[in-house]
Amino acid sequence: MALQALQSSGVAFRKILSHFPEELSLAFAYGSGVYRQVGPSSDQKVSLAPGQAPRRESASSHENAMLDFVFTVDDPVAWHSKNLKKNWNHYSFLKVLGPKIITTVQNNYGAGVYYNPLIMCDGRLIKYGVISTSILIEDLLNWNNLYIAGRLQKPVKIIAMNENVALRSALDKNLKSAVTTAFLMLPESFSEEDLFIEIAGLSYSDKSPEGQFTQLMTLPKTLQQQINHVMDPPGKNRDVEETLLQVAHDPDCGEVVRQGLSAIVRPSSMKQSTKGIFTAGMKKTVVYSSLKLHKMWKGWLRKTS
């Protein structure tokens, strides 16, 4: 994307941000509405099956995509209280129960995020999630559910961020943990593209058991525990360090790490999706799910054509 486009999008994002309470420790945007998806551009022809005419994608598809935001707040009760006054219509029926109940639902169910989807703001369709700063820091450090921490391992556009040293440190730790985990799952030989020039410059020679054990010991606590659960047979009750030492010598080390990740991500995603029925309301949930299915269907058609 050209510099001018980046600058103009930044202005648009900050304008949207002005519609919400200012007390944000971190605000970022992500997804197809922010970054153009990989694939043919709008002025490129796409080859289809023999006898079919090539198609063109709309040049405005990127600009019309829903914008996704995450707002991190130190005091969710106070923030929701102010947001209810400014944006009452953003919330589902839970708004009548007040900001304390909304915060309880946010913090204690799913992945610790409260989403308001399908909101029109400054002529754009947006979705925004609210998460407590303390819960985000815990997820960044320990990978409790890898919901927002996982999102922050992918390209995002930071719109606002305050001088929270603990949060900044946790963001860095999350990226380093991602590099370490990715390295464990990669084969011995990999390209710059596979690990983005080794991302943080981390490397170990010939993926030795000693090197893998060192990396395993630096993984977030929850991932270590899930790896231990995958490897620990019933009744043996080995400690985590003993299990990680075994995994470091296992030829399938990467697959074990992958299973541990799956054990974190799958339950939190399912719980967060279920919570969406209550936080978004049934009507919005049906509409939003339909949009997601339509997007997945288009992606599948693009891959098979």
Side-chain angles (χ1 to χ4, degrees), residues 33 40 45 65 81 87 109 129 143 161-162 174 176 184 186 189 194 198 202 219 268 277 297:
K45 292 183 178 181
S81 179
N87 301 301
Y109 300 93
W143 287 5
M161 187 173 185
N162 67 11
N174 178 49
K176 290 177 181 177
L184 285 164
L186 285 168
S189 299
D194 292 330
E198 299 181 16
L202 299 177
L219 293 178
S268 64
I277 297 174
W297 177 248

Side-chain angles (χ1 to χ4, degrees), residues 12-13 16-17 19-20 29-34 60-71 89-90 115-129 283-292 294-295:
F13 295 156
I16 289 174
L17 212 60
H19 291 269
F20 298 92
Y30 64 93
S32 59
V34 181
S60 61
S61 59
H62 169 68
E63 290 76 10
N64 292 336
M66 182 166 67
L67 292 174
D68 297 283
F69 295 91
V70 169
F71 301 151
N89 63 325
H90 288 187
Y115 273 106
N116 282 328
L118 301 176
I119 306 297
M120 287 303 299
C121 187
D122 274 345
R124 290 296 300 270
L125 189 65
I126 74 167
K127 174 185 75 176
Y128 65 93
K283 182 178 179 181
K284 280 188 178 180
T285 299
V286 172
V287 174
Y288 181 66
S289 298
S290 299
L291 289 173
K292 293 288 283 186
H294 179 65
K295 183 178 179 181

Side-chain angles (χ1 to χ4, degrees), residues 46-254:
V46 181
S47 298
L48 300 179
Q52 285 186 289
R55 68 170 185 269
R56 296 175 183 267
E57 291 191 1
S58 170
S60 61
S61 59
H62 169 68
E63 290 76 10
N64 292 336
M66 182 166 67
L67 292 174
D68 297 283
F69 295 91
V70 169
F71 301 151
T72 305
V73 300
D74 293 340
D75 187 341
V77 175
W79 194 90
H80 282 297
S81 179
K82 292 181 179 180
N83 198 43
L84 282 165
K85 292 176 182 177
K86 297 186 70 168
N87 301 301
W88 175 263
N89 63 325
H90 288 187
Y91 291 81
S92 70
F93 70 94
L94 291 177
K95 61 190 171 189
V96 300
L97 302 178
K100 289 185 179 180
I101 297 299
I102 288 173
T103 299
T104 298
V105 173
Q106 172 184 310
N107 290 342
N108 298 331
Y109 300 93
V113 194
Y114 189 101
Y115 273 106
N116 282 328
L118 301 176
I119 306 297
M120 287 303 299
C121 187
D122 274 345
R124 290 296 300 270
L125 189 65
I126 74 167
K127 174 185 75 176
Y128 65 93
V130 184
I131 185 171
S132 164
T133 305
S134 60
I135 289 177
L136 176 59
I137 289 175
E138 280 291 311
D139 193 26
L140 291 169
L141 293 176
N142 299 320
W143 287 5
N144 295 336
N145 52 63
L146 259 181
Y147 199 82
I148 300 301
R151 169 51 55 189
L152 284 163
Q153 294 162 4
K154 303 176 179 67
V156 301
K157 184 171 181 63
I158 304 295
I159 306 168
M161 187 173 185
N162 67 11
E163 294 299 325
N164 186 321
V165 176
L167 177 57
R168 289 176 180 268
S169 176
L171 288 166
D172 289 341
K173 178 64 166 60
N174 178 49
L175 293 178
K176 290 177 181 177
S177 297
V179 173
T180 302
T181 306
F183 187 87
L184 285 164
M185 295 187 291
L186 285 168
E188 291 189 15
S189 299
F190 51 87
S191 67
E192 289 183 341
E193 184 179 358
D194 292 330
L195 201 58
F196 303 104
I197 318 175
E198 299 181 16
I199 302 180
L202 299 177
S203 63
Y204 291 88
S205 58
D206 302 325
K207 291 180 71 69
S208 66
E210 293 78 12
Q212 292 191 141
F213 179 65
T214 300
Q215 295 172 74
L216 287 164
M217 288 297 290
T218 67
L219 293 178
K221 179 180 66 177
T222 303
L223 180 53
Q224 290 181 344
Q225 292 170 341
Q226 290 296 343
I227 291 172
N228 187 46
H229 182 71
V230 169
M231 294 295 293
D232 195 15
K236 193 159 185 180
N237 296 322
R238 292 181 300 186
D239 62 35
V240 172
E241 186 171 345
E242 181 184 353
T243 299
L244 296 182
L245 184 59
Q246 176 193 350
V247 173
H249 288 79
D250 193 323
D252 295 323
C253 173

